Amino acid sequence: MADGQLFAGAVTEAERLDWLRLIRSRRVGPVTFHRLVGEHGTARAALAALPEIARAAGVEGYAVCPVEVAAAELRAGKAKGARLLCHGEAAYPLALMDLPDAPAVLWALGNVALLNRPMVAMVGARNASSLGVRMARRLAEGLAQAGQVVVSGLARGIDAEAHRAALPTGTVAVMAGGVDVIYPSENAALHAEIAATGCLVSEQPMGLEPQARHFPLRNRIVSGLARAVIVVEAAARSGSLITARTALDQGRDVMAVPGHPFDARASGCNMLIRDGATLVRGAQDVLEVIGAAVLLAEPPAPRIAPLPGPAAPQRSLKEMRVLHDMILARLGPSPVAEDQLVRDLAVTSAELAPELLALELDGRVLRQPGGLLSRAV
């Protein structure tokens, strides 16, 4: 198959095995894969030529991925209910087809039809503030209501909130490891919900635990699937900015939500806006840029979790430190209402009040008129 050419018919199991063997062979990445298939016509012919190519490059004793290894991966995917999509076949995301480093194969778990619907990516800080989480939720709800599929990386913080908000209409999560590997573990329930109503995708083998080097590879798929990438919160040096730069290289629109200049979590977004990214105040700003014809109705009211009972249990010192860290992670220089913090943390006012007082006395939290709180700079 020539690079970018669609399959004329269904891919046979033998062809899938060849593709998997080629991409799993040592030193064969997506770019090399496409070049080899383009030069030799088929994955099987490329596999036959690889040892000689390696020898000419000075690599002795080169061996391609064994049939047994690729066959075991196919069996593992089938056992989990996942589907292997080869570059160019009908179910493979059309948005990725123009990328020079498009994944040769993708494992997909869930509703594969979502992969060829209009998508918008949303990324941001893992230690997101309360305002950042609320913004991600409202944006994702509005975009989903307008017919856009929200794609992200299933990380904690902004990613997870965007996925949750878009669950009713379908969301796509791109995994750094195998589609069956839950990372981070706290997103286990969300992982299961996306598998049931959305779609999980990865170019990595089933069962692979993600390593640091896998995340930039994951990010290029997140941005590649989307018409535009929205950065909600990001530090000046962060994976979200890497995704934004990748999106620019791929010809995607980059947008950012502005933040308070004193909040480090907003510095990356403010830099993007300074450098020409579209400033985003709401979903309508995004839809105007990408040319979506659907106009938004009044956005739904924010979901408010029911408050627990009034009893305030005694906490250990370790539990108190954890709660303090959670409070400080949600607060930034921009004031947040105390009742919003109660809802975000899913605690009672009685539980929160003494810990806020302790942080106030420690000079780490500032209380402002109107029941507003901010983090001391």
Side-chain angles (χ1 to χ4, degrees):
M1 185 195 76
D3 188 20
Q5 179 183 338
L6 291 173
F7 283 112
V11 184
T12 67
E13 287 305 304
E15 288 170 329
R16 289 188 196 282
L17 190 66
D18 292 340
W19 277 56
L20 205 51
R21 289 184 66 202
L22 182 57
I23 193 60
R24 301 298 186 231
S25 292
R26 188 162 51 102
R27 301 190 183 184
V28 176
V31 174
T32 302
F33 177 96
H34 294 303
R35 180 174 59 81
L36 287 169
V37 173
E39 289 175 357
H40 297 279
T42 66
R44 180 164 297 185
L47 284 166
L50 255 182
E52 181 56 38
I53 294 171
R55 212 168 13 251
V59 180
E60 296 296 334
Y62 183 91
V64 299
C65 174
V67 173
E68 297 78 13
V69 172
E73 184 177 339
L74 285 173
R75 287 194 300 271
K78 185 176 181 180
K80 295 288 186 178
R83 180 175 170 185
L84 187 70
L85 308 178
C86 293
H87 181 275
E89 64 178 320
Y92 185 94
L94 190 60
L96 298 179
M97 289 291 292
D98 64 340
L99 303 184
D101 58 351
V105 298
L106 279 175
W107 280 110
L109 182 59
N111 183 4
V112 176
L114 292 173
L115 299 178
N116 279 303
R117 279 180 49 193
M119 284 194 227
V120 174
M122 195 178 301
V123 297
R126 287 169 170 79
N127 64 329
S129 69
S130 178
L131 286 174
V133 169
R134 287 156 58 196
M135 185 63 177
R137 184 187 311 143
R138 293 292 292 273
L139 274 174
E141 288 173 342
L143 291 168
Q145 180 187 356
Q148 300 292 315
V149 173
V150 175
V151 56
S152 195
L154 199 58
R156 60 174 59 93
I158 297 300
D159 288 24
E161 193 62 32
H163 285 307
R164 287 191 193 96
L167 272 173
T169 54
T171 183
V172 171
V174 184
M175 312 295 289
V179 291
D180 58 332
V181 177
I182 300 168
Y183 184 88
S185 58
E186 67 199 58
N187 284 342
L190 182 57
H191 181 279
E193 288 182 289
I194 295 174
T197 64
C199 191
L200 300 155
V201 297
S202 176
E203 66 180 328
Q204 302 300 340
M206 302 294 296
L208 179 77
E209 293 285 343
Q211 304 296 321
R213 68 181 183 276
H214 297 137
F215 289 93
L217 297 174
R218 184 273 309 271
N219 294 346
R220 89 186 193 287
I221 300 176
V222 171
S223 56
L225 284 169
R227 171 68 176 80
V229 174
I230 310 164
V231 184
V232 178
E233 277 188 338
R237 292 185 176 183
S238 67
S240 298
L241 290 198
I242 294 174
T243 306
R245 286 194 290 270
T246 303
L248 288 173
D249 292 341
Q250 294 170 334
R252 277 48 172 172
D253 288 308
V254 174
M255 311 178 191
V257 175
H260 196 288
F262 289 167
D263 192 341
R265 286 170 292 201
S267 59
C269 292
N270 293 339
M271 286 168 52
L272 287 172
I273 294 169
R274 180 199 65 189
D275 294 340
T278 300
L279 186 151
V280 172
R281 300 162 299 174
Q284 190 63 53
D285 289 339
V286 179
L287 297 172
E288 288 174 1
V289 170
I290 64 178
V294 182
L295 296 177
L296 287 175
E298 186 66 24
R303 295 192 300 269
I304 301 175
L307 297 180
Q314 294 293 319
R315 294 179 182 273
S316 67
L317 290 175
K318 181 179 179 180
E319 290 172 329
M320 287 172 58
R321 284 196 297 271
V322 169
L323 183 54
H324 287 184
D325 290 341
M326 290 170 64
I327 292 169
L328 293 172
R330 291 289 186 178
L331 294 177
S334 301
V336 173
E338 184 173 342
D339 60 349
Q340 181 63 49
L341 193 61
V342 167
R343 291 193 289 270
D344 288 344
L345 297 177
V347 296
T348 65
S349 297
E351 289 175 306
L352 189 64
E355 309 311 328
L356 283 175
L357 178 59
L359 290 169
E360 279 185 77
L361 295 176
D362 198 31
R364 302 171 77 183
V365 167
L366 302 176
R367 190 176 292 277
Q368 302 185 22
L372 300 178
L373 302 164
S374 62
R375 185 170 178 172
V377 179

